[in-house]
Coordinates of all heavy atoms in Angstrom, one line a residue:
L1 N 173.9 -159.8 -20.4 CA 173.1 -159.1 -21.4 C 172.6 -160.1 -22.4 O 173.3 -160.9 -22.9 CB 174.0 -158.1 -22.1 CG 173.4 -157.3 -23.3 CD1 172.3 -156.4 -22.8 CD2 174.4 -156.5 -24.0
R2 N 171.3 -160.1 -22.5 CA 170.6 -161.0 -23.5 C 170.7 -160.5 -24.9 O 170.4 -159.3 -25.1 CB 169.2 -161.2 -23.0 CG 168.4 -162.3 -23.8 CD 167.0 -162.4 -23.3 NE 166.1 -161.4 -23.7 CZ 165.6 -161.3 -24.9 NH1 166.0 -162.1 -25.9 NH2 164.8 -160.3 -25.2
L3 N 171.1 -161.3 -25.8 CA 171.2 -160.9 -27.2 C 169.8 -160.9 -27.8 O 169.0 -161.8 -27.7 CB 172.0 -161.9 -28.0 CG 173.5 -162.0 -27.6 CD1 174.2 -163.0 -28.4 CD2 174.2 -160.6 -27.7
P4 N 169.4 -159.8 -28.5 CA 168.0 -159.6 -29.0 C 167.8 -160.3 -30.4 O 167.4 -159.7 -31.3 CB 167.9 -158.1 -29.1 CG 169.3 -157.6 -29.3 CD 170.2 -158.5 -28.6
V5 N 168.2 -161.5 -30.5 CA 168.1 -162.3 -31.7 C 166.6 -162.6 -32.1 O 166.2 -162.4 -33.2 CB 168.9 -163.6 -31.7 CG1 168.7 -164.4 -32.9 CG2 170.4 -163.3 -31.5
A6 N 165.9 -163.1 -31.1 CA 164.5 -163.4 -31.3 C 163.7 -162.3 -31.8 O 162.8 -162.4 -32.7 CB 163.9 -164.0 -30.1
E7 N 163.9 -161.1 -31.3 CA 163.2 -159.9 -31.7 C 163.4 -159.6 -33.1 O 162.4 -159.2 -33.8 CB 163.5 -158.7 -30.8 CG 163.0 -158.8 -29.3 CD 163.8 -159.7 -28.4 OE1 164.9 -160.3 -28.9 OE2 163.4 -159.9 -27.3
V8 N 164.6 -159.7 -33.6 CA 164.9 -159.4 -35.0 C 164.3 -160.5 -35.9 O 163.7 -160.2 -36.9 CB 166.4 -159.3 -35.2 CG1 166.8 -159.2 -36.7 CG2 167.1 -158.2 -34.4
E9 N 164.3 -161.7 -35.4 CA 163.7 -162.8 -36.2 C 162.2 -162.6 -36.4 O 161.7 -162.8 -37.4 CB 164.0 -164.2 -35.5 CG 165.4 -164.7 -35.7 CD 165.7 -166.0 -35.0 OE1 164.8 -166.5 -34.2 OE2 166.7 -166.6 -35.2
V10 N 161.6 -162.2 -35.3 CA 160.1 -162.0 -35.4 C 159.8 -160.8 -36.3 O 158.9 -160.9 -37.1 CB 159.5 -161.8 -33.9 CG1 158.1 -161.3 -34.0 CG2 159.6 -163.1 -33.1
A11 N 160.5 -159.7 -36.1 CA 160.2 -158.5 -36.9 C 160.5 -158.7 -38.4 O 159.7 -158.3 -39.2 CB 161.0 -157.4 -36.3
Y12 N 161.6 -159.3 -38.7 CA 162.1 -159.4 -40.1 C 161.9 -160.7 -40.8 O 162.0 -160.9 -42.0 CB 163.6 -159.0 -40.2 CG 163.9 -157.6 -39.8 CD1 165.1 -157.2 -39.4 CD2 162.9 -156.6 -39.9 CE1 165.4 -155.9 -39.1 CE2 163.2 -155.3 -39.6 CZ 164.4 -154.9 -39.2 OH 164.7 -153.6 -38.8
G13 N 161.6 -161.8 -40.0 CA 161.3 -163.1 -40.5 C 162.6 -163.8 -40.9 O 162.5 -164.9 -41.6
T14 N 163.7 -163.3 -40.6 CA 165.0 -164.0 -40.9 C 165.9 -163.9 -39.7 O 165.8 -163.0 -38.9 CB 165.7 -163.4 -42.1 OG1 166.0 -162.0 -41.8 CG2 164.9 -163.5 -43.3
R15 N 166.9 -164.8 -39.6 CA 167.9 -164.8 -38.5 C 168.9 -163.7 -38.9 O 169.4 -163.7 -40.0 CB 168.5 -166.2 -38.4 CG 169.6 -166.1 -37.3 CD 170.0 -167.5 -36.8 NE 171.0 -167.5 -35.9 CZ 170.9 -167.2 -34.6 NH1 169.7 -166.9 -34.1 NH2 172.0 -167.2 -33.8
P16 N 169.2 -162.8 -37.9 CA 170.2 -161.8 -38.2 C 171.6 -162.4 -38.3 O 171.9 -163.4 -37.7 CB 170.1 -160.9 -37.0 CG 169.5 -161.7 -35.9 CD 168.7 -162.8 -36.6
D17 N 172.5 -161.7 -39.1 CA 173.9 -162.1 -39.1 C 174.6 -161.7 -37.9 O 174.1 -160.9 -37.1 CB 174.5 -161.6 -40.4 CG 174.5 -160.1 -40.5 OD1 174.4 -159.4 -39.5 OD2 174.6 -159.6 -41.6
E18 N 175.8 -162.1 -37.8 CA 176.6 -161.8 -36.5 C 176.9 -160.3 -36.3 O 176.8 -159.8 -35.2 CB 178.0 -162.6 -36.6 CG 177.8 -164.1 -36.4 CD 177.1 -164.5 -35.1 OE1 177.4 -163.9 -34.1 OE2 176.3 -165.3 -35.2
T19 N 177.1 -159.6 -37.4 CA 177.3 -158.1 -37.3 C 176.0 -157.5 -36.7 O 176.1 -156.6 -35.8 CB 177.6 -157.5 -38.7 OG1 178.8 -158.2 -39.2 CG2 177.8 -156.0 -38.6
T20 N 174.9 -157.8 -37.2 CA 173.6 -157.3 -36.7 C 173.4 -157.6 -35.3 O 173.0 -156.8 -34.5 CB 172.4 -157.8 -37.6 OG1 172.7 -157.4 -38.9 CG2 171.1 -157.2 -37.1
I21 N 173.7 -158.8 -34.9 CA 173.6 -159.3 -33.5 C 174.5 -158.4 -32.6 O 174.1 -158.0 -31.5 CB 173.8 -160.8 -33.3 CG1 172.8 -161.6 -34.0 CG2 173.9 -161.2 -31.9 CD1 173.1 -163.1 -34.2
T22 N 175.7 -158.3 -33.0 CA 176.7 -157.5 -32.2 C 176.2 -156.0 -32.1 O 176.3 -155.5 -31.0 CB 178.1 -157.6 -32.9 OG1 178.5 -158.9 -33.0 CG2 179.1 -156.8 -32.1
E23 N 175.8 -155.4 -33.2 CA 175.3 -154.1 -33.1 C 174.1 -153.9 -32.3 O 174.0 -153.0 -31.5 CB 175.1 -153.5 -34.5 CG 176.3 -153.3 -35.3 CD 176.1 -153.0 -36.8 OE1 174.9 -153.0 -37.2 OE2 177.1 -152.7 -37.5
A24 N 173.2 -154.9 -32.4 CA 171.9 -154.8 -31.6 C 172.3 -155.0 -30.1 O 171.7 -154.2 -29.3 CB 171.0 -155.9 -32.0
A25 N 173.1 -155.9 -29.8 CA 173.5 -156.1 -28.4 C 174.2 -154.8 -27.8 O 174.0 -154.4 -26.7 CB 174.4 -157.3 -28.2
G26 N 175.0 -154.2 -28.6 CA 175.7 -153.0 -28.2 C 174.7 -151.8 -28.0 O 174.8 -151.1 -27.0
F27 N 173.7 -151.7 -28.9 CA 172.6 -150.7 -28.7 C 171.9 -151.0 -27.4 O 171.6 -150.0 -26.6 CB 171.7 -150.8 -29.9 CG 170.5 -149.8 -29.8 CD1 170.7 -148.5 -30.1 CD2 169.3 -150.3 -29.4 CE1 169.6 -147.6 -30.0 CE2 168.2 -149.4 -29.2 CZ 168.4 -148.1 -29.5
V28 N 171.4 -152.2 -27.2 CA 170.6 -152.5 -26.0 C 171.5 -152.3 -24.7 O 171.0 -151.7 -23.8 CB 170.1 -153.9 -26.1 CG1 169.4 -154.3 -24.7 CG2 169.1 -154.1 -27.2
G29 N 172.7 -152.6 -24.8 CA 173.6 -152.4 -23.6 C 173.8 -150.9 -23.3 O 173.7 -150.5 -22.2
R30 N 174.0 -150.1 -24.4 CA 174.2 -148.7 -24.2 C 172.9 -148.0 -23.6 O 172.9 -147.2 -22.7 CB 174.6 -148.0 -25.4 CG 176.1 -148.3 -25.8 CD 176.5 -147.5 -27.0 NE 175.7 -147.6 -28.2 CZ 175.9 -148.6 -29.1 NH1 176.8 -149.5 -28.9 NH2 175.1 -148.7 -30.1
Q31 N 171.7 -148.5 -24.2 CA 170.5 -148.0 -23.7 C 170.2 -148.3 -22.3 O 169.7 -147.6 -21.5 CB 169.3 -148.5 -24.6 CG 169.2 -147.8 -26.0 CD 168.9 -146.3 -25.9 OE1 169.7 -145.5 -26.3 NE2 167.8 -146.0 -25.3
T32 N 170.6 -149.6 -21.9 CA 170.4 -150.0 -20.5 C 171.2 -149.2 -19.6 O 170.7 -148.7 -18.6 CB 170.8 -151.5 -20.4 OG1 170.0 -152.3 -21.2 CG2 170.7 -152.0 -18.9
D33 N 172.5 -148.9 -19.9 CA 173.3 -148.0 -19.1 C 172.7 -146.6 -19.0 O 172.8 -146.0 -17.9 CB 174.7 -148.0 -19.7 CG 175.5 -149.3 -19.6 OD1 175.0 -150.2 -18.8 OD2 176.5 -149.5 -20.3
L34 N 172.2 -146.1 -20.1 CA 171.6 -144.8 -20.1 C 170.4 -144.7 -19.2 O 170.3 -143.8 -18.4 CB 171.2 -144.4 -21.5 CG 170.4 -143.1 -21.7 CD1 171.4 -141.9 -21.4 CD2 169.8 -142.9 -23.0
F35 N 169.5 -145.8 -19.2 CA 168.4 -145.8 -18.3 C 168.8 -145.9 -16.9 O 168.1 -145.3 -16.0 CB 167.4 -146.9 -18.7 CG 166.6 -146.6 -20.0 CD1 166.6 -147.5 -21.0 CD2 165.9 -145.4 -20.1 CE1 165.9 -147.2 -22.2 CE2 165.2 -145.1 -21.3 CZ 165.2 -146.0 -22.3
I36 N 169.8 -146.7 -16.6 CA 170.3 -146.8 -15.2 C 170.9 -145.4 -14.7 O 170.5 -145.0 -13.6 CB 171.4 -147.9 -15.1 CG1 170.7 -149.3 -15.2 CG2 172.1 -147.8 -13.8 CD1 171.7 -150.4 -15.4
D37 N 171.6 -144.8 -15.6 CA 172.2 -143.5 -15.2 C 171.1 -142.5 -15.0 O 171.2 -141.7 -14.0 CB 173.1 -142.9 -16.3 CG 174.4 -143.7 -16.4 OD1 174.7 -144.5 -15.5 OD2 175.1 -143.6 -17.5
Q38 N 170.0 -142.5 -15.8 CA 168.9 -141.6 -15.6 C 168.2 -141.9 -14.3 O 167.8 -140.9 -13.5 CB 167.9 -141.7 -16.7 CG 168.5 -141.0 -18.0 CD 167.5 -141.2 -19.2 OE1 166.6 -142.1 -19.2 NE2 167.8 -140.5 -20.2
A39 N 168.0 -143.1 -13.9 CA 167.3 -143.5 -12.7 C 168.1 -143.1 -11.5 O 167.6 -142.6 -10.5 CB 167.1 -145.0 -12.7
V40 N 169.5 -143.3 -11.5 CA 170.3 -142.9 -10.4 C 170.3 -141.4 -10.3 O 170.2 -140.9 -9.1 CB 171.8 -143.4 -10.7 CG1 172.7 -142.8 -9.7 CG2 171.8 -144.9 -10.6
A41 N 170.3 -140.6 -11.4 CA 170.3 -139.2 -11.3 C 169.0 -138.7 -10.7 O 169.0 -137.7 -9.9 CB 170.5 -138.6 -12.7
A42 N 167.9 -139.3 -11.1 CA 166.6 -138.9 -10.6 C 166.4 -139.2 -9.1 O 165.8 -138.5 -8.4 CB 165.5 -139.6 -11.4
D43 N 167.0 -140.4 -8.6 CA 167.0 -140.8 -7.2 C 168.0 -140.1 -6.4 O 167.9 -140.1 -5.1 CB 167.1 -142.3 -7.1 CG 166.0 -143.0 -7.6 OD1 164.9 -142.4 -7.8 OD2 166.1 -144.2 -7.9
K44 N 169.0 -139.5 -7.0 CA 170.1 -138.8 -6.3 C 170.9 -139.8 -5.4 O 171.6 -139.4 -4.5 CB 169.6 -137.7 -5.4 CG 168.8 -136.6 -6.2 CD 169.7 -135.8 -7.1 CE 168.9 -134.6 -7.6 NZ 168.9 -134.5 -9.0
K45 N 170.8 -141.1 -5.6 CA 171.5 -142.0 -4.9 C 171.6 -143.4 -5.6 O 170.8 -143.6 -6.5 CB 170.9 -142.3 -3.5 CG 169.5 -142.9 -3.6 CD 168.9 -143.0 -2.3 CE 167.4 -143.6 -2.5 NZ 166.6 -143.6 -1.3
K46 N 172.5 -144.2 -5.3 CA 172.7 -145.5 -5.9 C 171.9 -146.5 -5.1 O 171.7 -146.3 -3.9 CB 174.1 -145.9 -6.0 CG 174.9 -145.1 -6.9 CD 176.1 -145.8 -7.4 CE 177.0 -144.9 -8.3 NZ 176.7 -145.2 -9.7
P47 N 171.4 -147.6 -5.7 CA 170.7 -148.6 -4.9 C 171.6 -149.1 -3.8 O 172.8 -149.3 -3.9 CB 170.4 -149.7 -5.9 CG 170.4 -149.0 -7.2 CD 171.4 -147.9 -7.1
A48 N 171.0 -149.4 -2.7 CA 171.7 -149.7 -1.4 C 172.3 -151.1 -1.5 O 173.4 -151.3 -0.9 CB 170.8 -149.6 -0.2
D49 N 171.7 -152.1 -2.1 CA 172.2 -153.4 -2.1 C 172.2 -154.1 -3.4 O 171.7 -153.5 -4.4 CB 171.4 -154.3 -1.0 CG 169.9 -154.4 -1.4 OD1 169.5 -153.9 -2.5 OD2 169.2 -154.9 -0.5
D50 N 172.7 -155.3 -3.5 CA 172.8 -156.0 -4.8 C 171.5 -156.3 -5.3 O 171.3 -156.3 -6.6 CB 173.6 -157.3 -4.6 CG 175.1 -157.1 -4.3 OD1 175.6 -155.9 -4.7 OD2 175.8 -158.0 -3.8
A51 N 170.5 -156.7 -4.5 CA 169.2 -157.0 -5.0 C 168.5 -155.8 -5.7 O 167.9 -155.9 -6.7 CB 168.3 -157.5 -3.9
A52 N 168.7 -154.6 -5.1 CA 168.1 -153.4 -5.6 C 168.8 -153.0 -6.9 O 168.2 -152.6 -7.9 CB 168.3 -152.2 -4.6
R53 N 170.1 -153.2 -7.0 CA 170.9 -152.9 -8.2 C 170.4 -153.9 -9.3 O 170.3 -153.5 -10.5 CB 172.4 -153.0 -8.0 CG 173.0 -151.8 -7.4 CD 174.5 -151.8 -7.5 NE 175.1 -152.8 -6.6 CZ 175.3 -152.6 -5.3 NH1 175.0 -151.4 -4.8 NH2 175.8 -153.5 -4.5
A54 N 170.2 -155.2 -9.0 CA 169.8 -156.2 -10.0 C 168.4 -155.8 -10.5 O 168.1 -155.9 -11.7 CB 169.8 -157.6 -9.4
A55 N 167.5 -155.4 -9.6 CA 166.2 -155.0 -10.0 C 166.2 -153.8 -10.9 O 165.5 -153.7 -11.9 CB 165.3 -154.8 -8.8
Q56 N 167.1 -152.8 -10.6 CA 167.2 -151.6 -11.4 C 167.7 -152.0 -12.8 O 167.2 -151.5 -13.8 CB 168.1 -150.6 -10.7 CG 168.2 -149.3 -11.4 CD 169.1 -148.4 -10.7 OE1 170.3 -148.7 -10.5 NE2 168.6 -147.2 -10.2
R57 N 168.7 -152.9 -12.8 CA 169.3 -153.3 -14.1 C 168.2 -154.0 -15.0 O 168.1 -153.8 -16.2 CB 170.5 -154.1 -13.9 CG 171.1 -154.6 -15.3 CD 172.5 -155.0 -15.2 NE 173.5 -154.0 -15.3 CZ 173.7 -153.3 -16.5 NH1 173.0 -153.5 -17.5 NH2 174.7 -152.4 -16.5
E58 N 167.5 -154.9 -14.3 CA 166.4 -155.6 -15.0 C 165.4 -154.7 -15.6 O 165.0 -154.9 -16.8 CB 165.8 -156.7 -14.1 CG 164.8 -157.6 -14.8 CD 164.3 -158.6 -13.9 OE1 164.9 -159.0 -12.9 OE2 163.1 -159.1 -14.1
Q59 N 165.0 -153.7 -14.9 CA 164.0 -152.8 -15.4 C 164.6 -152.0 -16.5 O 163.9 -151.7 -17.5 CB 163.5 -151.8 -14.2 CG 162.5 -150.8 -14.7 CD 162.0 -149.9 -13.6 OE1 162.5 -149.9 -12.5 NE2 161.0 -149.1 -13.9
A60 N 165.8 -151.5 -16.4 CA 166.4 -150.7 -17.4 C 166.6 -151.6 -18.7 O 166.4 -151.1 -19.8 CB 167.8 -150.2 -16.9
A61 N 167.0 -152.8 -18.5 CA 167.1 -153.7 -19.7 C 165.8 -153.9 -20.4 O 165.8 -153.9 -21.6 CB 167.7 -155.1 -19.2
G62 N 164.7 -154.0 -19.7 CA 163.4 -154.1 -20.3 C 163.0 -152.9 -21.1 O 162.5 -152.9 -22.2
Q63 N 163.3 -151.7 -20.5 CA 163.1 -150.5 -21.2 C 163.9 -150.4 -22.5 O 163.5 -150.0 -23.5 CB 163.4 -149.3 -20.3 CG 162.4 -149.0 -19.2 CD 162.9 -147.9 -18.3 OE1 164.0 -147.9 -17.7 NE2 162.1 -146.9 -18.2
A64 N 165.2 -150.8 -22.4 CA 166.1 -150.7 -23.5 C 165.6 -151.7 -24.6 O 165.7 -151.3 -25.8 CB 167.5 -151.1 -23.1
L65 N 165.2 -152.8 -24.3 CA 164.7 -153.8 -25.3 C 163.4 -153.2 -25.9 O 163.2 -153.4 -27.1 CB 164.4 -155.1 -24.6 CG 164.1 -156.3 -25.6 CD1 165.3 -156.5 -26.5 CD2 163.8 -157.6 -24.8
G66 N 162.6 -152.5 -25.2 CA 161.4 -151.9 -25.8 C 161.8 -150.8 -26.8 O 161.2 -150.8 -27.9
V67 N 162.8 -150.0 -26.5 CA 163.3 -149.0 -27.4 C 163.8 -149.7 -28.7 O 163.6 -149.3 -29.8 CB 164.3 -148.1 -26.8 CG1 165.0 -147.2 -27.8 CG2 163.7 -147.3 -25.7
F68 N 164.6 -150.8 -28.5 CA 165.1 -151.5 -29.6 C 164.0 -152.1 -30.5 O 164.1 -151.9 -31.8 CB 166.0 -152.7 -29.1 CG 166.5 -153.5 -30.2 CD1 167.5 -153.1 -31.1 CD2 166.0 -154.8 -30.5 CE1 168.0 -153.8 -32.1 CE2 166.5 -155.6 -31.5 CZ 167.5 -155.1 -32.3
C69 N 163.0 -152.6 -29.9 CA 161.8 -153.2 -30.7 C 161.1 -152.1 -31.5 O 160.8 -152.3 -32.7 CB 160.9 -153.9 -29.9 SG 161.5 -155.5 -29.2
Q70 N 161.0 -150.9 -30.9 CA 160.4 -149.8 -31.6 C 161.3 -149.4 -32.8 O 160.8 -149.0 -33.9 CB 160.2 -148.6 -30.7 CG 159.1 -148.8 -29.7 CD 159.0 -147.6 -28.7 OE1 160.0 -146.9 -28.4 NE2 157.8 -147.3 -28.2
S71 N 162.6 -149.4 -32.6 CA 163.5 -149.1 -33.7 C 163.4 -150.1 -34.9 O 163.5 -149.7 -36.0 CB 164.9 -148.9 -33.2 OG 165.5 -150.1 -32.9
L72 N 163.2 -151.3 -34.5 CA 163.0 -152.3 -35.6 C 161.8 -152.0 -36.5 O 161.8 -152.1 -37.7 CB 162.8 -153.7 -35.0 CG 164.0 -154.4 -34.4 CD1 163.6 -155.7 -33.8 CD2 165.2 -154.5 -35.4
L73 N 160.7 -151.7 -35.8 CA 159.4 -151.4 -36.5 C 159.5 -150.0 -37.3 O 158.8 -149.8 -38.2 CB 158.3 -151.4 -35.6 CG 158.0 -152.7 -34.9 CD1 156.8 -152.6 -33.9 CD2 157.6 -153.8 -35.9
A74 N 160.4 -149.2 -36.9 CA 160.6 -147.9 -37.6 C 161.6 -147.9 -38.7 O 161.9 -146.9 -39.3 CB 160.9 -146.8 -36.6
S75 N 162.2 -149.1 -38.9 CA 163.3 -149.2 -39.8 C 162.8 -149.2 -41.3 O 161.6 -149.3 -41.6 CB 164.1 -150.5 -39.6 OG 163.3 -151.6 -39.9
N76 N 163.7 -149.0 -42.2 CA 163.4 -149.0 -43.6 C 162.8 -150.3 -44.2 O 162.2 -150.3 -45.2 CB 164.7 -148.6 -44.4 CG 165.0 -147.2 -44.3 OD1 164.1 -146.4 -44.0 ND2 166.2 -146.8 -44.7
Q77 N 163.1 -151.4 -43.4 CA 162.5 -152.7 -43.9 C 161.0 -152.7 -43.9 O 160.4 -153.5 -44.6 CB 163.1 -153.8 -43.1 CG 164.5 -154.0 -43.4 CD 165.0 -155.5 -43.1 OE1 164.2 -156.4 -43.1 NE2 166.3 -155.6 -42.8
F78 N 160.4 -151.8 -43.1 CA 158.9 -151.7 -43.1 C 158.4 -150.4 -43.9 O 157.2 -150.2 -43.9 CB 158.4 -151.6 -41.6 CG 158.5 -152.9 -40.9 CD1 159.6 -153.1 -40.1 CD2 157.6 -153.8 -41.1 CE1 159.7 -154.3 -39.4 CE2 157.7 -155.1 -40.5 CZ 158.8 -155.3 -39.6
L79 N 159.3 -149.8 -44.6 CA 158.9 -148.6 -45.4 C 158.0 -149.0 -46.6 O 157.0 -148.4 -46.8 CB 160.1 -147.9 -45.9 CG 159.9 -146.5 -46.6 CD1 159.2 -145.6 -45.7 CD2 161.2 -145.9 -47.0
Y80 N 158.4 -150.1 -47.3 CA 157.7 -150.6 -48.4 C 157.4 -152.1 -48.2 O 158.3 -152.8 -47.9 CB 158.4 -150.5 -49.7 CG 158.7 -149.0 -50.1 CD1 160.0 -148.5 -49.8 CD2 157.7 -148.2 -50.5 CE1 160.3 -147.2 -50.1 CE2 158.0 -146.9 -50.8 CZ 159.3 -146.4 -50.6 OH 159.5 -145.1 -50.9
I81 N 156.2 -152.5 -48.3 CA 155.9 -153.9 -48.1 C 155.3 -154.4 -49.4 O 154.4 -153.9 -50.0 CB 154.8 -154.1 -47.0 CG1 155.4 -153.6 -45.7 CG2 154.4 -155.5 -46.9 CD1 154.4 -153.6 -44.5
D82 N 155.9 -155.5 -49.9 CA 155.5 -156.1 -51.2 C 154.2 -156.9 -51.1 O 153.9 -157.4 -50.1 CB 156.6 -157.1 -51.7 CG 157.9 -156.3 -52.1 OD1 157.8 -155.1 -52.4 OD2 158.9 -157.0 -52.1

């Protein structure tokens, strides 16, 4: 699991603290698992081989990172801009 440090740095202009990194990684990990579960339920089967599972996980991780980036932009830090 890749830690979403760069995304927070770009969005907020500062390096996140360890708590924020841990929480962000947990969020992305849970979202990835959710997207994998949804894909498996929709296909009614698990991927047949390791390459298919890796591709599914990579796609789900990309979706999860997209959801995380949207949540950064919807956060209170962008409510008021000085």
Side-chain angles (χ1 to χ4, degrees):
L1 177 65
R2 187 176 76 74
L3 298 178
V5 175
E7 289 78 5
V8 175
E9 286 179 349
V10 168
Y12 295 156
T14 60
R15 179 162 175 78
D17 59 23
E18 290 302 317
T19 302
T20 302
I21 293 170
T22 302
E23 290 174 355
F27 176 82
V28 172
R30 288 187 303 276
Q31 285 297 118
T32 299
D33 293 341
L34 176 69
F35 286 127
I36 289 171
D37 291 345
Q38 289 175 344
V40 168
D43 291 343
K44 305 285 191 236
K45 62 182 180 190
K46 294 202 181 263
D49 60 10
D50 289 340
R53 278 192 291 277
Q56 186 180 58
R57 177 160 275 294
E58 186 175 331
Q59 181 179 5
Q63 289 176 302
L65 191 57
V67 170
F68 176 72
C69 290
Q70 287 176 332
S71 71
L72 290 177
L73 295 176
S75 70
N76 283 342
Q77 291 204 23
F78 287 99
L79 187 59
Y80 300 102
I81 299 177
D82 293 335

